[in-house]
Amino acid sequence: QLFSEQGAYGNDTTCMIQGLTRQFGSITSLAFNATLSTYYVMIIVFNSKKSRLRSLQSWFLGIPLVLGVVLTSASIPFIEPALVGCHIIPPFSTSSFITYEGADEDVKVLPFFLLYMIPAFGVMAYATVSMVVVG
C-alpha cells in the first residue's frame, strides 16, 4: 500500500523500516547514556579499578542493545504512519490522520507507554540520578 504524507512517499515496508529504526535508535541511545552514567559513578564515586570496568564492558554494551532489540521487536505490530514519519502512535494525538480501528481506549495506551515512554523516562531518570550522585 502506497501512502504519501507531507511530500514523502513510501509503502508499508519503508514505513516499518523507519519505525523500527526510530524505536531502536531512541531506546538504545538512551540506554547507552544510562550505562555511561553508571561508568562515571563507578569511576568517580566508587574509585573502581580499570580491570573491574573491563570485566563489565560486555554488560555495558550488551544491556542497551538487548533492551533496544527486545523493545523494538515488541513494537512491530504497533508501528504505523503518522504525521511525521512512522512510529508507535501516541494515544493522545488529536490528528485526523491517526486512527485506531476496533481498539479499546485502554488498549491504545499500553503499547506507547510500555514500549516507549516508560523505558525512555526510566533510563533518563536513572542517568539523571547517577549524574547527581557524581556531581
Side-chain angles (χ1 to χ4, degrees):
Q1 167 189 358
L2 290 175
F3 55 88
S4 170
E5 294 174 17
Q6 298 183 356
Y9 295 94
N11 56 32
D12 289 336
T13 303
T14 58
C15 180
M16 184 60 65
I17 291 169
Q18 182 187 39
L20 293 175
T21 303
R22 291 175 79 166
Q23 177 74 2
F24 181 77
S26 60
I27 295 297
T28 306
S29 64
L30 290 170
F32 270 118
N33 188 20
T35 59
L36 185 59
S37 65
T38 302
Y39 179 83
Y40 290 150
V41 168
M42 292 181 74
I43 289 286
I44 297 169
V45 176
F46 297 115
N47 296 319
S48 294
K49 304 285 184 223
K50 285 188 179 185
S51 60
R52 170 78 175 137
L53 294 170
R54 273 194 211 105
S55 68
L56 295 173
Q57 185 175 10
S58 60
W59 290 100
F60 286 157
L61 297 173
I63 290 173
L65 290 173
V66 168
L67 183 66
V69 167
V70 167
L71 292 176
T72 300
S73 299
S75 70
I76 289 173
F78 307 106
I79 293 176
E80 298 180 24
L83 287 177
V84 183
C86 296
H87 52 83
I88 300 174
I89 299 173
F92 43 80
S93 177
T94 58
S95 169
S96 61
F97 287 116
I98 300 171
T99 58
Y100 288 90
E101 297 172 10
D104 249 354
E105 285 299 317
D106 294 337
V107 175
K108 295 177 196 177
V109 173
L110 287 176
F112 182 69
F113 282 97
L114 291 178
L115 298 174
Y116 185 73
M117 295 302 287
I118 292 171
F121 281 104
V123 295
M124 283 189 279
Y126 175 80
T128 302
V129 169
S130 296
M131 292 298 96
V132 169
V133 168
V134 167

